[in-house]
Amino acid sequence: MKVLAIDCSAVAASVAIVSDDKILGSSYTNVGLTHSQTLVPMINATLTNSQISLDDVDCFAINVGPGSFTGVRIGVAALKGIAAFSEANCIATSTLESMAYNYAGVRDCVLVAAMDARCAQVYTAVFRVSGDTVTRLSEDNAILISDLYDGIASLGLESDEIVFVGDGAHLCYNALNEKLPGAKLAPSHLLYQNAVSVAKLALTRVKAGEKLVSAEEILPTYLRAPQAERELKKKQDLK
């Protein structure tokens, strides 16, 4: 099965084409350009360099959140554009869960995926990585960084080898390194979300029997309202 995977849920953007366990092509950029500038050219270049056409793609996979509201919307819109006339062959993936697949087959650990949600919050979820198997231990959530330790402790994971990944990893590591002295930061090449891991997650779910859906059914996943809506609600509450 050939999977075209997309991620632009944060500052970095990436595209990958994976055929079962073989990476046919990938592209990654983290230079601060808007995804509306980079994503479609990256898709075209990755297809061309991999000698793959859209007709050859069996599954389109994308991280639908949590993450940047604008970035997620751009990615979903791009997927809908390239897969709109195809059969039901799309799959939506969690940004946090896809990052756990950075470590699949690399190192056994408890992996805490964390994305900076601003306002002293992170989007986070906890996973156990054992060989090639990733097991979810908590649901995706938006929480205060100060509450993260309690969530880890409630799962009884304080004594496990803990690795932080994501653009919120440094924030969490710095906040918790005294309470979790054995915790580590993922190395830079495994730290951020990457479309290759999106493809790995999609393939795992398809092999487990999950049905693909149409592009029309792919929607962004937000764990909290956009900042503009939150600010408006504050103003309304003060009236």
Side-chain angles (χ1 to χ4, degrees), residues 4 12 21 24 40 44 49 51 55 64 87 98-99 101 125 135 141 146 169 184 188 195 197 204 209 222 230 236 238:
L4 190 157
D21 294 328
L24 301 180
V40 172
N44 289 334
N49 293 337
Q51 298 184 323
D55 291 336
V64 295
E87 298 177 358
S98 75
M99 284 192 283
Y101 279 79
T135 304
N141 200 4
S146 58
K184 299 178 176 64
S188 59
S197 292
T204 297
Y222 302 134
R230 299 198 304 272
Q236 291 172 337
L238 289 174

Side-chain angles (χ1 to χ4, degrees), residues 162-215:
I162 294 174
V163 178
F164 290 104
V165 299
D167 60 23
H170 285 87
L171 293 172
C172 297
Y173 176 80
N174 291 337
L176 300 180
N177 61 1
E178 291 185 2
K179 292 182 177 179
L180 297 170
K184 299 178 176 64
L185 281 169
S188 59
H189 65 291
L190 298 175
L191 186 61
Y192 301 111
Q193 53 268 52
N194 191 300
V196 172
S197 292
V198 177
K200 287 182 182 179
L201 171 55
L203 283 165
T204 297
R205 286 168 53 181
V206 170
K207 289 176 182 177
E210 182 169 336
K211 291 184 178 180
L212 301 178
V213 300
S214 67

Side-chain angles (χ1 to χ4, degrees), residues 69-88:
F69 294 99
T70 301
V72 168
R73 285 197 299 269
I74 289 171
V76 170
L79 178 136
K80 288 179 181 291
I82 62 177
F85 301 104
S86 302
E87 298 177 358

Side-chain angles (χ1 to χ4, degrees), residues 41-181:
M42 288 170 66
I43 293 171
N44 289 334
T46 306
L47 286 165
T48 300
N49 293 337
S50 302
Q51 298 184 323
I52 297 292
S53 72
L54 287 176
D55 291 336
D56 297 322
V57 176
D58 301 302
C59 172
F60 296 89
I62 184 169
N63 275 341
V64 295
S68 159
F69 294 99
T70 301
V72 168
R73 285 197 299 269
I74 289 171
V76 170
L79 178 136
K80 288 179 181 291
I82 62 177
F85 301 104
S86 302
E87 298 177 358
N89 58 357
C90 299
I91 191 165
T93 55
S94 158
T95 307
L96 297 169
E97 187 173 5
S98 75
M99 284 192 283
Y101 279 79
N102 291 2
Y103 263 70
V106 175
R107 187 185 187 98
D108 290 358
C109 63
V110 168
L111 192 141
V112 179
M115 299 178 68
D116 186 2
R118 308 298 173 88
C119 303
Q121 290 186 319
V122 287
Y123 301 122
T124 186
V126 182
F127 305 87
R128 184 176 297 281
V129 181
S130 180
D132 292 325
T133 302
V134 174
T135 304
R136 178 182 283 275
L137 302 180
S138 72
E139 296 303 313
D140 293 359
N141 200 4
I143 65 172
L144 291 168
I145 296 172
S146 58
D147 292 336
L148 181 57
Y149 176 79
D150 290 339
I152 294 172
S154 70
L155 295 170
L157 303 174
E158 309 99 307
S159 61
D160 286 87
E161 180 176 354
I162 294 174
V163 178
F164 290 104
V165 299
D167 60 23
H170 285 87
L171 293 172
C172 297
Y173 176 80
N174 291 337
L176 300 180
N177 61 1
E178 291 185 2
K179 292 182 177 179
L180 297 170

